[in-house]
């Protein structure tokens, strides 16, 4: 059994408006909303159930290779476990999770990007979802990089399914996956400026004309605040 989360949440900033837009018209009607930006903090042992078995096996292997600091923290939140990995050690940890007999996370379902502008020095996050078909377990890896140095090692050589996922994460968030065989855009045109899913990307779109009428981008429409 996995116990209730013993994670202490930490506030890292304040969100204003429904989408956190700044300097543009907020057409959602929630422009006056003020809410704390809260992240789950590190969870203390015991994690519960098989979570501890995975953590023990991972820590034992890392100690053998003198990479104890590769795991920055472990978070158990909403019944799921996430290992926050130091980005320089990501590829090593991923291969160990795949190949070790006590771990055997053979399948990576892909990587997702996240942009946290208020997480100073760790604004860009990449999240990997791993499945052990041998042990019927699922875990998550998370690694961060600063906006000023948006580089993360590619895992395509370890989990080939990440090929298109890393391209999409680069396209949408601007995370550069070092070692990817062909890191090019996959959704947007090759000459598209910027990365559309970053929170600092302009909310507006492309003006549309319809039967003589003109529809401006969202951030140029009337504000209903």
């Amino acid at each position: 059994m996995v116990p209730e989360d013993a994670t202490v949440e930490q506030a890292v900033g304040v969100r204003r408006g429904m989408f956190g837009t700044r300097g543009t018209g907020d057409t959602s009607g929630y422009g006056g909303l003020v809410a704390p930006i809260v992240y789950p903090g590190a969870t203390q042992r015991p994690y519960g159930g098989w979570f501890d078995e995975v953590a023990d096996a991972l820590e034992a292997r890392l100690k053998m290779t003198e990479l104890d600091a590769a795991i920055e923290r472990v978070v158990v939140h909403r019944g799921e476990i996430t290992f926050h990995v130091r980005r320089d050690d990501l590829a090593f940890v991923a291969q160990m999770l795949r190949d070790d007999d006590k771990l055997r996370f053979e399948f990576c379902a892909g990587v997702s990007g996240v942009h946290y502008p208020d997480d100073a020095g760790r604004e860009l996050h990449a999240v990997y979802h791993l499945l052990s078909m041998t042990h019927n377990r699922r875990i998550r890896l998370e690694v961060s990089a600063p906006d000023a140095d948006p580089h993360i090692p590619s895992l395509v050589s370890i989990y080939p399914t990440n090929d298109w996922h890393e391209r999409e994460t680069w396209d949408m968030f601007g995370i550069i996956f070092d070692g990817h065989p062909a890191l090019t855009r996959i959704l947007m045109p090759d000459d598209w400026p910027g990365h559309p899913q970053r929170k600092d990307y302009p909310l507006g779109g492309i003006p549309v004309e319809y039967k003589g009428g003109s529809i401006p981008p969202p951030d140029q429409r009337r504000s209903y605040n």
Side-chain angles (χ1 to χ4, degrees):
M1 294 289 293
V2 176
E4 295 294 325
D5 296 344
T7 301
V8 177
E9 295 183 336
Q10 54 184 1
V12 297
V14 176
R15 184 184 70 180
R16 300 182 184 279
M18 177 59 75
F19 303 106
T21 57
R22 297 170 185 168
T24 61
D26 183 349
T27 61
S28 68
Y30 292 90
L33 178 68
V34 178
I37 300 173
V38 178
Y39 301 153
T43 304
Q44 303 302 314
R45 294 271 204 162
Y47 305 134
W50 59 262
F51 289 174
D52 287 289
E53 296 176 23
V54 171
D56 289 342
L58 185 55
E59 288 178 8
R61 285 297 306 274
L62 290 173
K63 285 182 180 178
M64 291 173 59
T65 54
E66 298 182 355
L67 287 175
D68 304 47
I71 305 299
E72 296 177 329
R73 68 182 184 277
V74 180
V75 175
V76 177
H77 187 59
R78 297 183 178 179
E80 299 178 335
I81 188 166
T82 302
F83 294 90
H84 290 255
V85 182
R86 190 167 57 185
R87 63 171 168 168
D88 292 343
D89 301 319
L90 175 64
F92 181 85
V93 171
Q95 184 151 1
M96 190 166 49
L97 285 165
R98 186 194 69 181
D99 296 341
D100 188 275
D101 290 339
K102 293 183 179 179
L103 298 167
R104 295 297 293 161
F105 286 90
E106 306 98 333
F107 176 66
C108 180
V111 56
S112 305
V114 193
H115 183 212
Y116 295 119
D118 296 294
D119 195 4
R122 302 165 55 91
E123 292 88 357
L124 295 170
H125 290 231
V127 185
Y128 302 81
H129 307 273
L130 305 184
L131 165 66
S132 170
M133 292 177 281
T134 299
H135 303 293
N136 191 24
R137 295 169 174 173
R138 294 177 184 270
I139 66 171
R140 184 186 297 112
L141 297 184
E142 187 165 341
V143 62
S144 65
D147 263 340
D149 182 25
H151 291 263
I152 292 175
S154 171
L155 295 187
V156 172
S157 62
I158 301 167
Y159 294 112
T161 51
N162 278 335
D163 189 340
W164 286 13
H165 293 271
E166 288 183 1
R167 287 179 59 194
E168 181 178 357
T169 304
W170 145 248
D171 196 358
M172 295 291 105
F173 293 92
I175 298 175
I176 300 170
F177 293 92
D178 295 329
H180 189 284
L183 192 62
T184 56
R185 291 194 184 269
I186 192 171
L187 297 176
M188 308 304 291
D190 290 339
D191 59 351
W192 190 267
H195 305 279
Q197 286 190 338
R198 288 175 55 95
K199 290 186 174 66
D200 55 5
Y201 191 81
L203 184 62
I206 300 173
V208 177
E209 292 185 6
Y210 180 70
K211 292 186 177 179
S214 178
I215 303 175
D219 56 353
Q220 296 178 16
R221 300 176 195 168
R222 174 184 173 187
S223 175
Y224 294 95
N225 295 339

